[in-house]
Amino acid sequence: MRLRSALAPALSVAAALALTSAFTAPATAATAPAGATSRLATCQEKALDVRASPGAQRNVARVSVTNNGGAACVVDRIPTVTFRGLDGSAEPVPPAGSAPYTLSAGERAYAAVRTADPAATEGHVVGSLSVAADPSHAGVTFRAGAVGMPQGVHVWEPVTTLWQRTQAAADSALAGAGR
């Protein structure tokens, strides 16, 4: 199984958030005006609703995060998706570095996660996956059956899309990522 290190993204996110919040506008689906600055805080985990459900294929899960807080805040643009008992997390597609992603109050963002085909012989099978909207959060754990993988989550080179404004955009980003 090949996974990215969970520690490196956390460190780079902390550095990116510190630099970004001081000097630039947060990354969103739309481009912020040049020279804009933002002092938006990282979303409090308790203000977020993280969900996961089966995707269109048997090795795909759909995830979402909703900001239930009263103000805009930021999460990392890459969802942190980890797998029970395994080190590392799903790699972003397209390849990207950590950066803030703004969620307005009441706004929902979507991502898609692809794991190994259940028939594959490489990798590991685990009973759950966890999703965090930001690497500083503990995240929410979902049993394999809840994400449409009743025989377990087969993990080998897992990938996740960046947060997207619509579920269709997340599905399209994953489909465009190849295998």
Side-chain angles (χ1 to χ4, degrees):
M1 175 187 72
R2 297 188 312 199
L3 298 171
R4 70 180 173 152
S5 168
L7 180 57
L11 294 175
S12 58
V13 167
L17 287 174
L19 290 173
T20 303
S21 65
F23 300 110
T24 63
T28 63
T31 303
T37 59
S38 172
R39 299 201 187 277
L40 292 177
T42 299
C43 297
Q44 291 185 9
E45 188 167 13
K46 65 183 179 184
L48 299 176
D49 180 25
V50 176
R51 297 184 181 226
S53 61
Q57 299 170 338
R58 63 185 181 159
N59 64 327
V60 173
R62 291 178 165 161
V63 298
S64 67
V65 60
T66 304
N67 176 4
N68 291 326
C73 55
V74 296
V75 296
D76 192 87
R77 72 178 176 167
I78 305 167
T80 302
V81 182
T82 57
F83 304 89
R84 183 177 186 156
L86 303 177
D87 291 335
S89 58
E91 288 288 329
V93 291
S98 295
Y101 182 91
T102 301
L103 282 173
S104 298
E107 185 177 13
R108 179 175 291 163
Y110 303 87
V113 178
R114 184 176 58 229
T115 63
D117 186 300
T121 58
E122 297 174 304
H124 300 276
V125 178
V126 297
S128 63
L129 62 84
S130 296
V131 180
D134 191 87
S136 66
H137 297 165
V140 179
T141 299
F142 302 93
R143 297 182 67 75
V147 294
M149 302 176 198
Q151 304 304 316
V153 180
H154 197 111
V155 184
W156 177 257
E157 299 182 337
V159 296
T160 182
T161 65
L162 306 179
W163 290 117
Q164 305 290 322
R165 296 286 176 208
T166 66
Q167 185 63 64
D171 291 344
S172 179
L174 189 62
R179 299 252 168 235

